[in-house]
Amino acid sequence: MSHGTDVQNLFKTLGLPPPPDSADGLEVRTPIDGSPLARVAISSEAQVGAAIARAQARSLSWREVPAPKRGELVRAFGEAVRRHKEPLGRLISLETGKIVQEGLGEVQEVVDICEFAVGLSRQLYGLSIASERPEHKLLETWHPLGVVGIISAFNFPMAVYAWNAALALVCGNTLVWKPSEKAPLSALALSGLLLKTASEQGIDPLGLAELLIGERAVGEALVSHPAVKLVSATGSTAMGRAVGVACAALFKRSLLELGGNNAAIVCPSANLELVVRGVAFSAAGTAGQRCTSLRRLIVHRSIYAELVAALVRVFERLPVGDPLAAGTLVGPLIDQRAFEAMQQALDRARQAGATVHFGARVTVGNTAAFYVRPAIVELATQTGPMLQETFAPILYVVPYDSFDEAIAINNAVSHGLSSAVFTQDLREAEIFTSARGSDCGIANVNIGTSGAEIGGAFGGEKETGGGRESGSDAWKAYMRRATNTINYGSTLPLAQGIRFEL
């Protein structure tokens, strides 16, 4: 059975119509072997405008639905996703090249954020604030924004949408989603399941969660539309910079989740067995195509040789291959462009005097696919390509002498998403997570940089964009805040003791 036929069958399993074939549409190929999966119709300019108009109209009624009732839809959606975890996970693997277990793990993230959002639907708390005026009450209340635009990347084609959608829906907003042009099938499946669930719950799906398929022009139309009140964009820093500027020009909100040149510090006291496991997953998992992938390893000079040797032994035998096959841990890069970017980065490292272990292409069946053995690159100092994120499995390693030097190396890049320290020294752990430590949005101790849980707010600083999604109080980004003053007396005292007598 071809992978294209597999996709058709997966949609049938989900109870959804197969993606309609469009002769002049967007061609989707699997990174597993380069074979075609489907050709999906691209949203026209008129269709983009119509979708946003439907979402805007629907937002006026959806905001009036009590939040716990909105939560019931998200609960039912999460249950539908749980029931269809296997086909959804397989679809992710087919479309993005993730190994099966990672595809299933991503679907579980969708379920988890739905559960979080259901509880949140009864906790959209404001504040009661003491007023300085007698017989007055001061309140802080939260209200829906209206239409939330979501732009997602290929590497998490379902989870990132769900992080935004589940929170935005319980907060009373409607959705317009522009997924990556590299992963539209996952979007069609997840969006279709949400709308199907709404219908089964007796909720009119029209305008509730619109889907737009296309490339940059479609995203630009979404960002520039005045009815879209928040744009949550996940992707490259270059994309985020364009989105942020466009939103600022229109005084609209943007929530940016961009790149991450993530580092881990390994201290002399570290448990090296734990380090090797944490580093291997963070650097090689998802073929290095996570925004939280480990890119830089900062190792104390006293254990540098021992640790690098251990990592070389592990990377040499990492199972690289078909992501649908049992036992595979590293699947393919998404496409040829990603492979070429990786090779160019390795060439620049060699020119900078680096010792490069691995990184070459691996033949797995059809040579139209781009499999590589994750690379380890040793540098004397942090320089050249190590200062820039390459979305591929390259782990740069540098030595350090003092802990303050290690923190400075960690912070000396333009991104600030995820970071980690491996240490058994309580003081080093506390310093790393303090104000003088890591400048990233995520700072871990004795785990790698990947694998964030939905309970905490996810996001980073600097060129990572500053946005926060998922847990904690990230829901506030999807609502507008109002301060209310209520006078329940019969006089009109003014604030700050001002007198204005008529």
Side-chain angles (χ1 to χ4, degrees), residues 365-443:
N366 191 321
T367 56
F370 293 90
Y371 295 83
V372 294
R373 181 155 300 282
I376 297 173
V377 178
E378 297 183 69
L379 282 163
T381 60
Q382 182 165 262
T383 186
M386 192 171 174
L387 295 168
Q388 301 171 332
E389 180 191 37
T390 300
F391 218 56
I394 302 176
L395 178 66
Y396 298 97
V397 190
V398 293
Y400 79 89
D401 293 300
S402 72
F403 193 60
D404 285 342
E405 177 193 4
I407 290 176
I409 294 171
N410 177 84
N411 295 347
V413 293
S414 57
H415 293 93
L417 177 53
S418 189
S419 59
V421 63
F422 290 89
T423 181
Q424 301 299 310
D425 186 317
L426 177 62
R427 183 171 178 272
E428 289 174 333
E430 291 291 347
I431 290 173
F432 186 76
T433 56
S434 74
R436 65 181 263 204
S438 170
D439 64 359
C440 298
I442 299 170

Side-chain angles (χ1 to χ4, degrees), residues 331-360:
L333 293 171
I334 188 66
D335 54 22
Q336 181 176 353
R337 183 177 176 183
F339 172 75
E340 291 173 350
M342 178 179 180
Q343 299 310 307
Q344 290 166 6
L346 293 177
D347 287 342
R348 291 197 301 272
R350 292 185 185 97
Q351 292 167 10
T355 298
V356 178
H357 306 271
F358 317 121

Side-chain angles (χ1 to χ4, degrees), residues 214-236:
E215 298 182 321
R216 180 168 181 164
V218 173
E220 289 175 342
L222 173 64
V223 171
S224 63
H225 200 290
V228 178
K229 301 304 181 184
L230 166 69
V231 176
S232 177
T234 301
S236 70

Side-chain angles (χ1 to χ4, degrees), residues 22 79-80 85 151 200 208 243 328 377 384 421 469:
S22 175
E79 290 176 352
K85 183 174 179 177
I151 299 174
E200 292 169 350
L208 190 66
V243 170
T328 299
V377 178
V421 63
E469 295 172 333

Side-chain angles (χ1 to χ4, degrees), residues 19-27 38-42:
D21 189 63
S22 175
D24 58 349
L26 184 68
E27 185 178 51
R39 193 178 283 273
V40 183
I42 295 174

Side-chain angles (χ1 to χ4, degrees), residues 76 80 106 185 332 374 414 492-493 501:
E106 178 170 350
L185 300 177
S414 57
L492 193 66
E501 305 292 345

